[in-house]
Amino acid sequence: MSEPPTYTVSRPSAGVLQLSLQGVWTIEHEIPGVDEFLDSLDEKTEKVLFETESMITWDSSLPVFLDQFLPVLKLKKIRADLNGLPPGAQKLLRVAMLNRGKEREEEDEPFALANLVGNYTLAGFKQAGDMTLFSTSLIRDFTRLLRGRAYFRFRDLLYFIQDCGANALPIITLIALLVGVILAFVGAIQLEMFGAQIYVANLVGIAMLLEMGAMITGIIMAGRTGASYAAQLGTMQVNEEIDALSTMGISPYAFLVIPRMLALILMLPLLCIYADLVGILGGGLIGVGLLNLSVSEYFNQSLDALNFSQFGEGVFKSFVYAVLVGYSGCFYGIQCGRSAAAVGRAATSAVVSAIIMIVVADAIMVVFFNIM
């Protein structure tokens, strides 16, 4: 079993070259070079045969050896008859040659751009169909829930409320405080030029209530909770848990999606209000610490600058963002493939899609509220 791999070249007939393989063709032995075989090829060679009666055993080193010169034979238009090789080696070589041919066709494809556009278009139509099916199923089960005909475990809702509510407070506090500090610091540099430092309170308060409070909360929850939802549901898809629920007659939309979305819809507006207050507090740190404003001056100015309509607009935006984040995370989780890589792609797609939808929705709502 220790005989090293060797080969001999012979010519059984005119135009035919036979390659005879002997010994043990395994990775424990160094495979011989192909120069001797290539030197034996000439213009009269039309066909190459393989003989393996003296070969003791083989593994992946045999296809690796053969693959070194088979492309050369194809280039020289010399037919290689693989029937003399072991059946397993024949299959491996045919797969390798087929894949190599596909790669070459893709590289030489004259309409590569048109194919790319077509593939993206078809993928877009497919995703639109999947989103329509997801949306209709979600609306159907939510309607059944309101009528008492669909259900989920109440403790699941409490768990998700805690996860996307209380557990998110530390990161919301940090980011909102820093955003308030940044807004106040940038505004202070400009307003000091006109001796209008007191209006830093207006700048921070209005910016936090109208835009930044809701947006930073939505984006943080997209990266934190939306990705978590996609990964959870994607893992359930991989483990066939969602299929098991459907088999038992339990709607996965009512049992898995609705409690997650309800938790976000309930908690994200509250987090937005909290972020508004923390952002105003962060602006106060700059106003009091650097602009020599008193605490009462800063907060009285903030109260004078703000009104209920601004507060309501920010809370309404946070409600919309909650729907978008929950929808995106659950949609990509439910539509996830059945592999670890698919779970990663689902989490990434959920975050990216949620952030894009938040920005687009914010632009639409800004125009709408300005018109109103």
Side-chain angles (χ1 to χ4, degrees):
M1 294 292 290
S2 61
E3 183 179 346
T6 57
Y7 68 87
T8 56
V9 180
S10 60
R11 291 188 176 275
S13 61
V16 178
L17 195 67
Q18 179 171 294
L19 182 65
S20 302
L21 306 177
Q22 302 93 23
V24 178
W25 290 78
T26 60
I27 58 175
E28 287 82 8
H29 300 85
E30 182 179 358
I31 59 176
V34 297
D35 294 339
E36 179 183 350
F37 173 76
L38 294 177
D39 292 339
S40 303
L41 299 175
D42 54 27
E43 297 179 353
K44 298 180 181 180
T45 304
E46 299 176 356
K47 182 179 180 181
V48 173
L49 301 176
F50 296 94
E51 187 272 319
T52 58
E53 291 183 1
S54 300
M55 186 174 65
I56 300 174
T57 186
W58 65 279
D59 61 13
S60 58
S61 62
L62 175 61
V64 170
F65 168 76
L66 298 173
D67 194 54
Q68 295 181 39
F69 59 80
L70 287 178
V72 178
L73 298 180
K74 187 174 182 180
L75 186 63
K76 294 185 175 183
K77 297 182 179 179
I78 299 175
R79 188 166 69 89
D81 188 352
L82 304 179
N83 291 326
L85 295 172
Q90 295 181 37
K91 292 180 181 178
L92 290 174
L93 289 171
R94 289 193 176 102
V95 170
M97 289 187 289
L98 179 63
N99 290 335
R100 187 182 293 113
K102 288 182 178 179
E103 292 175 359
R104 186 174 295 109
E105 288 177 4
E106 291 176 357
E107 292 174 359
D108 299 337
E109 178 60 56
F111 302 106
L113 179 60
N115 287 338
L116 183 64
V117 173
N119 290 334
Y120 274 112
T121 303
L122 292 176
F125 279 116
K126 181 181 182 302
Q127 185 166 7
D130 293 338
M131 293 180 71
T132 302
L133 177 62
F134 179 84
S135 301
T136 53
S137 301
L138 187 61
I139 294 172
R140 177 201 64 200
D141 286 337
F142 188 75
T143 304
R144 288 180 178 176
L145 178 65
L146 295 178
R147 293 159 54 190
R149 298 180 59 186
Y151 68 94
F152 55 82
R153 294 184 299 187
F154 186 69
R155 63 180 180 180
D156 288 347
L157 177 61
L158 294 180
Y159 168 78
F160 293 126
I161 285 176
Q162 179 182 355
D163 181 62
C164 66
N167 292 351
L169 286 178
I171 185 64
I172 295 292
T173 302
L174 176 64
I175 301 301
L177 184 68
L178 293 177
V179 168
V181 169
I182 293 169
L183 289 173
F185 193 78
V186 172
I189 295 175
Q190 302 300 318
L191 293 173
E192 268 191 317
M193 299 169 59
F194 306 98
Q197 299 94 321
I198 189 64
Y199 291 105
V200 167
N202 300 54
L203 171 66
V204 175
I206 294 174
M208 291 301 300
L209 258 66
L210 286 179
E211 289 293 335
M212 299 307 297
M215 179 167 286
I216 63 174
T217 304
I219 291 176
I220 289 172
M221 298 307 288
R224 182 188 179 278
T225 305
S228 174
Y229 287 176
Q232 290 171 4
L233 296 177
T235 304
M236 291 181 183
Q237 191 73 265
V238 172
N239 295 334
E240 299 183 353
E241 297 174 45
I242 294 178
D243 295 337
L245 287 174
S246 301
T247 302
M248 292 187 291
I250 300 174
S251 170
Y253 299 95
F255 196 76
L256 300 174
V257 176
I258 289 180
R260 287 172 166 82
M261 293 193 65
L262 280 179
L264 263 179
I265 292 171
L266 292 174
M267 287 295 103
L268 205 145
L270 297 179
L271 291 174
C272 171
I273 297 172
Y274 176 75
D276 293 340
L277 297 175
V278 173
I280 293 173
L281 177 61
L285 296 178
I286 298 299
V288 174
L290 295 182
L291 302 179
N292 298 320
L293 300 175
S294 67
V295 176
S296 60
E297 285 180 327
Y298 181 85
F299 286 103
N300 286 334
Q301 183 68 24
S302 297
L303 292 175
D304 292 338
L306 304 177
N307 55 57
F308 186 78
S309 64
Q310 296 166 344
F311 172 80
E313 182 177 338
V315 172
F316 178 80
K317 289 180 179 179
S318 68
F319 171 80
V320 175
Y321 299 160
V323 174
L324 296 178
V325 171
Y327 183 94
S328 179
C330 295
F331 169 74
Y332 284 103
I334 290 290
Q335 298 296 325
C336 177
R338 300 183 184 273
S339 66
V343 175
R345 287 193 297 269
T348 302
S349 299
V351 176
V352 174
S353 299
I355 292 175
I356 292 174
M357 288 191 292
I358 285 173
V359 174
V360 173
D362 181 64
I364 295 173
M365 286 187 288
V366 165
V367 174
F368 173 77
F369 282 120
N370 283 335
I371 293 175
M372 294 297 293

